[in-house]
Each structure stands twice: as structure tokens, then as C-alpha cells.
Amino acid sequence: MHLFYTPDIEANAIEYVLNEDESKHCARVLRLGIGDPIVLIDGRGSLFRVEIADAHPKRTKVRILTIERNYGKRNHYLHIAVAPTKNLDRLEWFLEKATEIGIDEITPIICEHSERKELKIERLTKVVTAAVKQSLSAYHPKINEPIDFRHFAEELPATQHFIAHCLEATKVTLTAEIKPHGSYCVLIGPEGDFSPSEVEFAISKGCQAISLGNTRLRTETAALYACMEINLLNRN
């Protein structure tokens, strides 16, 4: 199945023209021609099964055959707020794997111990888009601009909020606290962990402190662990 990401396609389109990059990939790289089937996704849950009407390397035109709404829709909403890693490759690894497993929204949070405070969202979006295509998903996770930790915690999204940290304190587990089919936000700190004042602030705003096991995890590992566990807890 050859899949193309087309976020500007209209919901009830009967035909569509691929942009120049996707047209080149379709006609020149894949060498697809008139009548060949491909799949388009809009990143909002619609999957379009189409056939090529004109295989032009700059403006390939397709005819829509069928449209599937809410394709592969999951029964929960997951938002992970994660401190950017010093090594950007590690953050990109998390984005790729989380997209393949299932995630709806990612917010980079800038914390007291953060070693990286600037990001190019366009680059991260490309990583996510590639993972969307790889996983044949009709949903494209939203990537927000970086935000200060306290500003983010002031108005926490979702209905259940969790903060994972390594400080000595009373903590619960996701397994014990997750309410199925809900909306969740998990906060994951930087390599130096959240500061005690950040943890206290998040808890005062409604976060539950959680443990992700008995070992100390890297930032990207902790974020992916939370992503995986929440998806598994909602698999029925």
C-alpha cells in the first residue's frame, strides 16, 4: 500500500492533485502510472482510496474511489509533554516510535534542568509525518511549540494528569490509576529530572506523581514507556 499524506484534501473530494514533492515520489520514484491504486490520508482520521488519473511528476492527479472516516481511531486521547533531550536524535526517536504505537499530541516543555531550550518544530513534524506513513495511520499527531513548564502546568489539558519523576515521594502507577477510554496527559522531565519545586507545582495543579518502574530511565525511554503502557491499558 503506497500512502501519501495530504492534509489539505477536502473531506468530500472526488479528485485531488498531489503537491510537487509527493507527485515526484509517486511518478518518478515509485514509477506508478494511470490506474494504479494509492492511499491518501488527511491526518484527521480520513483515509481515501484512490486511483491515479494522470501520473505527472509535478502534479499527479487522482480520482477518489472510497473514503473511510475515523480509520483506526483509538478509544482514548494521549498527550505527552516531554522535556527536549540534549541529543535531538533521541527526541526524534521517541516521536517516531510514539507515532507508530499511538499518540495524539506532543508538547515540548522547558524545565529548570533542561539542557535544550530551542527546537525546530518543522523538522520534528517531518519525523512524525514519516512515521505516520510507515504505520499506515490516518491520524497525524499534533506537535506544539515549546512552552515553559509552569505555564503548561497552569492549565493542564486532558482529564487525567500525571508527572513521572525520580524524587523520593509517594507515587502511584499508571496501571492502578488509568480510567479506560479517557483523556490523558503525562509530563516527562529532562535528563536532570524535574526539580522538587516543579513536582510540587504540578501536583498542586492536579497532577498525580507516578512511577515508571524501579530503574532510572532516559527521558525518551520514559516517555515511550508511558505511551506504550497507556495504549496497552486501553486496548479493549
Side-chain angles (χ1 to χ4, degrees):
M1 180 191 296
H2 298 297
L3 187 148
F4 296 81
Y5 177 49
T6 55
D8 60 340
I9 190 170
E10 295 182 1
N12 296 308
I14 59 174
E15 62 180 21
Y16 181 80
V17 178
L18 298 178
N19 64 32
E20 186 170 343
D21 286 342
E22 294 285 39
S23 291
K24 181 179 180 181
H25 184 69
C26 179
R28 290 275 173 81
V29 179
L30 298 177
R31 297 185 179 278
L32 299 176
I34 294 174
D36 285 337
I38 61 173
V39 171
L40 311 181
I41 57 166
D42 63 2
R44 300 181 297 278
S46 292
L47 182 144
F48 303 77
R49 298 188 185 278
V50 310
E51 68 176 11
I52 297 173
D54 181 12
H56 193 284
K58 290 188 176 181
R59 50 180 186 280
T60 293
K61 180 184 289 187
V62 301
R63 282 189 293 267
I64 284 78
L65 303 177
T66 63
I67 305 174
E68 297 180 50
R69 310 293 186 192
N70 302 317
Y71 181 82
K73 183 176 177 61
R74 301 193 323 283
N75 59 10
H76 61 284
Y77 190 94
L78 175 58
H79 183 170
I80 291 187
V82 57
T85 53
K86 182 178 181 181
N87 183 338
L88 191 58
D89 288 347
R90 287 163 50 194
L91 178 62
E92 292 177 356
W93 176 86
F94 161 69
L95 293 174
E96 178 184 77
K97 302 311 176 188
T99 299
E100 293 176 3
I101 292 169
I103 192 169
D104 299 282
E105 190 170 356
I106 304 105
T107 299
I109 49 174
I110 309 304
C111 307
E112 290 182 25
H113 298 156
S114 290
E115 294 187 74
R116 176 181 287 275
K117 300 187 177 181
E118 294 184 359
L119 290 170
K120 293 183 178 179
I121 298 302
E122 182 180 355
R123 172 174 170 170
L124 301 182
T125 299
K126 288 180 179 179
V127 172
V128 169
T129 299
V132 165
K133 293 179 179 181
Q134 165 66 30
S135 58
L136 304 180
S137 172
Y139 291 90
H140 193 291
K142 178 182 180 183
I143 304 182
N144 298 315
E145 291 289 339
I147 185 173
D148 176 77
F149 168 84
R150 292 177 187 273
H151 289 164
F152 182 82
E154 278 284 0
E155 298 183 12
L156 289 168
T159 53
Q160 283 194 280
H161 322 105
F162 305 98
I163 181 169
H165 65 84
C166 299
L167 302 175
E168 290 293 332
T170 300
K171 303 173 190 174
V172 297
T173 64
L174 288 171
T175 301
E177 296 299 322
I178 284 291
K179 297 175 183 177
H181 309 165
S183 175
Y184 320 105
C185 180
V186 183
L187 281 62
I188 304 292
E191 284 90 336
D193 202 4
F194 291 114
S195 69
S197 64
E198 286 175 329
V199 173
E200 182 179 354
F201 184 78
I203 291 174
S204 74
K205 297 299 179 180
C207 275
Q208 288 182 282
I210 57 169
S211 168
L212 297 178
N214 297 323
T215 58
R216 185 169 60 184
L217 305 177
R218 288 181 178 271
T219 294
E220 72 277 15
T221 309
L224 191 65
Y225 181 106
C227 177
M228 173 70 83
E229 186 162 11
I230 288 175
N231 273 278
L232 288 174
L233 292 170
N234 281 279
R235 60 186 170 181
N236 296 322

